[in-house]
Amino acid sequence: MSSKKVDFPDIINLNVGGHYYITKRSTLTKDNESMLAAMFSGRHTNDKDSEGRYFIDRDGTYFGYVLNFLRDNLEMPPASVALQVYKEAQFYQIRSLIEKLERSAQIFAIKLDEAKKSRLGNSFTKWKNTIVSKAQEKSLTNLTSSSRINFISKDDHNSLVNLTDCLGEMEHFIVIRSEIEKNLPVQDQSFESLRNRLAIDPDVIVDIAQSDMGMFVGTLQEDLNREGYSFKIWTSQMCCKNVKRIMNVCVEKCELSANEYFVQFEWGLPKEENKYENNDS
């Protein structure tokens, strides 16, 4: 049994979440693969508001930009609202608008960010939340308005746990290069202290390959910035400088090498607006 086709007028009055628009049915159905084309194809019955307008239960703030694009396939939204319109284009499944917006600098940056997170898998959000939670837990325990977290990749952690002795009978000679301190490398504490800190008791061991840690740290920094955290993040590179020489020629290097990462958060209270302004008049 076939369903009866719904007849729509040529001129459509719309109520999109309380925002009112008037357009032609041919405009709404121009992209025949879109949700709007399906809604006004005649195959479905649409809800109406009390004034008889066809109702779409969606915030309609940016719907006008979608309509303007459908009218001529040319008019693009300003950069200041490109992201919001992109989300509307995705919701209404307007492929031509989606593709044009994805070539813009702002939306491409978002797609690049999504590609990095996809490369890191589901682990990114898990480890970001772990780092933030650990920092908050430290501040609550110590009642401090700042907290610092150190973390290390699982690859480097395993290397330190399973590290053999240094070359010959030499003891490891550890040097550290920090992005915070731009001075010359300095000798770190003893290897045992270093090993205790990073192999036995780091704040977080991140289960992401060491080769992807640079991407993880960069994406973490971008996400924390977007989410409004006050923080700084840096890397310390550690290695053993011992080498084995024959006739002043290096024939073997110690394999000890690891990166330690730090995030320091500041938990300042938000400033309240002064309701009582001084008036000179």
Side-chain angles (χ1 to χ4, degrees):
M1 181 177 177
S2 60
S3 58
K4 184 179 178 181
K5 187 170 183 178
V6 179
D7 290 326
F8 288 101
D10 291 334
I11 304 299
I12 302 289
N13 284 271
L14 293 170
N15 176 350
V16 186
H19 295 259
Y20 305 132
Y21 298 95
I22 300 176
T23 190
K24 291 183 177 180
R25 177 174 172 272
S26 59
T27 299
L28 295 171
T29 58
K30 184 173 287 185
D31 188 326
N32 56 20
E33 298 295 325
S34 72
M35 182 190 296
L36 291 172
M39 289 174 64
F40 293 94
S41 64
R43 301 192 301 270
H44 307 283
T45 301
N46 297 333
D47 293 332
K48 292 183 179 181
D49 67 10
S50 59
E51 300 295 326
R53 306 180 188 92
Y54 293 102
F55 180 73
I56 300 175
D57 191 12
R58 174 84 174 173
D59 186 350
T61 304
Y62 304 101
F63 186 75
Y65 295 105
V66 174
L67 273 185
N68 286 340
F69 176 80
L70 287 173
R71 284 170 177 140
D72 60 14
N73 271 18
L74 293 174
E75 186 170 342
M76 297 295 290
S80 59
V81 296
L83 175 58
Q84 291 85 350
V85 177
Y86 179 63
K87 291 177 180 178
E88 298 308 298
Q90 289 179 311
F91 176 78
Y92 293 111
Q93 302 169 27
I94 303 171
R95 174 48 46 186
S96 53
L97 178 55
I98 290 170
E99 290 175 352
K100 284 192 174 184
L101 284 169
E102 285 180 346
R103 290 194 289 271
S104 69
Q106 185 181 17
I107 305 304
F108 178 76
I110 292 169
K111 285 187 66 64
L112 179 60
D113 182 67
E114 290 173 349
K116 291 177 183 177
K117 290 176 181 175
S118 177
R119 165 74 176 269
L120 295 168
N122 296 328
S123 295
F124 174 78
T125 300
K126 171 187 174 182
W127 293 115
K128 181 189 79 171
N129 291 342
T130 299
I131 288 168
V132 172
S133 296
K134 279 278 188 180
Q136 292 175 338
E137 182 183 316
K138 271 192 173 183
S139 279
L140 284 173
T141 300
N142 301 321
L143 298 180
T144 56
S145 58
S146 66
S147 52
R148 189 177 75 173
I149 292 295
N150 76 317
F151 59 97
I152 185 173
S153 74
K154 189 173 183 179
D155 287 349
D156 276 353
H157 177 262
N158 289 340
S159 296
L160 288 169
V161 169
N162 301 315
L163 189 68
T164 58
D165 294 333
C166 194
L167 303 172
E169 297 181 355
M170 291 187 288
E171 294 184 359
H172 288 290
F173 182 84
I174 309 300
V175 292
I176 179 170
R177 292 183 176 90
S178 173
E179 293 176 346
I180 290 290
E181 298 173 357
K182 300 296 185 181
N183 54 331
L184 294 174
V186 295
Q187 184 175 357
D188 197 8
Q189 67 268 44
S190 69
F191 170 65
E192 287 305 316
S193 297
L194 173 69
R195 191 170 188 173
N196 287 342
R197 189 174 79 249
L198 296 183
I200 299 175
D201 195 29
D203 289 318
V204 180
I205 301 170
V206 178
D207 192 6
I208 290 176
Q210 178 56 39
S211 58
D212 286 334
M213 283 299 289
M215 184 186 300
F216 172 77
V217 171
T219 308
L220 174 66
Q221 186 166 4
E222 291 169 359
D223 255 33
L224 293 178
N225 272 323
R226 272 196 298 268
E227 293 172 13
Y229 289 97
S230 177
F231 71 98
K232 57 183 176 182
I233 187 167
W234 69 95
T235 306
S236 289
Q237 298 174 321
M238 289 151 288
C239 64
C240 177
K241 280 299 185 180
N242 285 338
V243 297
K244 184 177 180 181
R245 298 178 182 274
I246 298 178
M247 300 294 292
N248 209 31
V249 175
C250 175
V251 294
E252 189 178 359
K253 294 182 178 180
C254 179
E255 296 180 354
L256 192 160
S257 177
N259 287 341
E260 184 177 15
Y261 306 92
F262 299 90
V263 189
Q264 181 161 323
F265 292 89
E266 302 293 335
W267 310 108
L269 291 172
K271 294 181 179 179
E272 295 185 4
E273 293 183 7
N274 187 358
K275 297 179 181 180
Y276 305 101
E277 294 183 358
N278 293 326
N279 293 321
D280 294 332
S281 58

